[in-house]
Amino acid sequence: MTSFLSASALPDEYEQLRRTVEEFAREVVAPVAAEHDENKTFPYEVVRGMAGMGLFGLPFPEEHGGMGGDYFALCVALEELGKVDQSVAMTLEAAVSLGAMPIYRFGTDEQKQAWLPQLASGARLGAFGLTEPGAGSDAGGTRTTARLDNGEWVINGSKQFITNSGTDITELVTVTAVTGTTGSGKKEISTIIVPAGTPGFTVQPAYSKVGWHASDTHPLSFDDVRVPEANLLGAAGRGYANFLSILDEGRIAIAAVGTGVAQGCVDECVRYAKERTAFGKPIGENQAIAFKIARMEARAAASRAAYYDAAALMLSGKPFKKAASIAKLVSSEAAMDNARDATQVFGGYGYMNEYRVARHYRDSKILEIGEGTTEVQLMLIARELGL
């Protein structure tokens, strides 16, 4: 795993994957990204292409319909997609790390057999319903409830900001719900699989968002939704704790996306700075521009090193919580800072939606919020330091 710490020395299988996804991003994703962004449409044709490449099954074993790879392979793919379109990258990231991974990590053999093959193939998408108007980082604020009645869970409540929850190919949403109280009187939170189309489960109209326009995001409501008792995912009362471990892994994947964004902004600026002339010479010959881009490259490199390190720890079975939080913190800030600087390098053109840097500028802010805010990452890092 130490070889992962240098992007110039990726093992052959990862480098081959990187080049394949890079080509796909350039030739398939990039040409339609602006159109989907402008029209706020979900890129079904791109998702089908990713499914055909096996990207949704990268970290899952072949016995469950996966590609037999690992989490780092997923991250390599996410970085390349993040360079050109964050919406597509996040569709893959959420489908794998939030939709399918909880079932793989905590599901019974029956649940894995029932759900994983179609999720790993990319033919269907999974989502995870955690956040509520008063609950996200604060598990104690969870108000969605589930009670057992004649062998069925009866679920009532609502969720918000749920990715991949309302597409035509959404198969299920796993939701956190209060299923009782602990011995100390705290809420017992469990996770339950709710198939799409279950009576009482309503996908509300999509949000009007600042960015990630081609990513599917909806609020959800549950009105006496009934699912079999066997749809409990993991042990009762372990739902939130299990999902925290999923978030630790997911932060590495988010960091890979952020790294891709940061590097994509560098690549766009280098090209533009060589082509755009002002006062008789390319603007890249001006030290102010050159230094700005050099600093952007340094951010991207630091971000990559951070998520490579976290992935190496994770796959070697070592504690990686702090490293994952550092990677998520560094990469999300690098993406936002580089997007801002790239917009400045492009000048007026950088404010036009037809340019990729403009989309990155709108899209990048959510990287500092989703799957654990910057403040949560700082809290986790400080806690790991014993503070």
Side-chain angles (χ1 to χ4, degrees), residues 105-177:
R105 295 290 190 210
F106 309 115
T108 64
D109 289 340
E110 291 76 12
Q111 289 170 339
K112 292 176 184 178
Q113 292 170 8
W115 304 110
L116 268 184
Q118 53 192 331
L119 298 179
S121 73
R124 308 291 290 178
L125 301 179
F128 200 100
L130 170 70
T131 305
E132 299 181 8
S137 303
D138 176 18
T142 299
R143 294 188 176 182
T144 297
T145 62
R147 61 180 175 83
L148 278 174
D149 179 50
N150 293 324
E152 293 182 316
W153 291 106
V154 183
I155 306 170
N156 285 280
S158 63
K159 300 292 179 179
Q160 65 180 11
F161 311 140
I162 310 305
T163 304
N164 292 342
S165 59
T167 74
D168 293 342
I169 57 174
T170 297
E171 181 68 15
L172 60 88
V173 178
T174 302
V175 300
T176 53

Side-chain angles (χ1 to χ4, degrees), residues 282-355:
I283 63 172
E285 293 184 14
N286 295 312
Q287 194 175 70
I289 298 296
F291 280 12
K292 187 182 293 290
I293 298 173
R295 191 174 293 279
M296 291 168 63
E297 173 71 3
R299 293 188 194 116
S303 176
R304 185 175 298 106
Y307 97 72
Y308 276 30
D309 179 53
L313 291 171
M314 172 188 167
L315 294 185
S316 63
K318 297 178 181 178
F320 66 93
K321 180 185 289 286
K322 183 177 74 171
S325 287
I326 290 173
K328 206 275 186 180
L329 174 69
V330 170
S331 68
S332 59
E333 291 186 343
M336 191 67 222
D337 289 345
N338 278 15
R340 182 191 64 245
D341 285 352
T343 302
Q344 192 72 20
V345 169
F346 272 67
Y349 292 111
Y351 207 62
M352 301 297 109
N353 279 327
E354 65 187 279
Y355 286 87

Side-chain angles (χ1 to χ4, degrees), residues 220-258:
L220 311 175
S221 62
F222 304 86
D223 184 11
D224 285 338
V225 173
R226 287 180 171 268
V227 298
E229 184 177 355
N231 281 25
L232 178 72
L233 182 63
R238 291 292 301 170
Y240 194 75
N242 287 345
F243 191 64
L244 288 180
S245 68
I246 290 293
L247 281 179
D248 287 338
E249 297 178 0
R251 284 168 185 144
I252 304 175
I254 290 287
V257 175

Side-chain angles (χ1 to χ4, degrees), residues 50-51 54-61 65-70 92 96 119-122:
M50 292 193 295
L55 299 189
F56 290 91
L58 279 174
F60 303 116
M67 298 295 289
D70 57 29
L92 175 62
V96 177
L119 298 179
S121 73

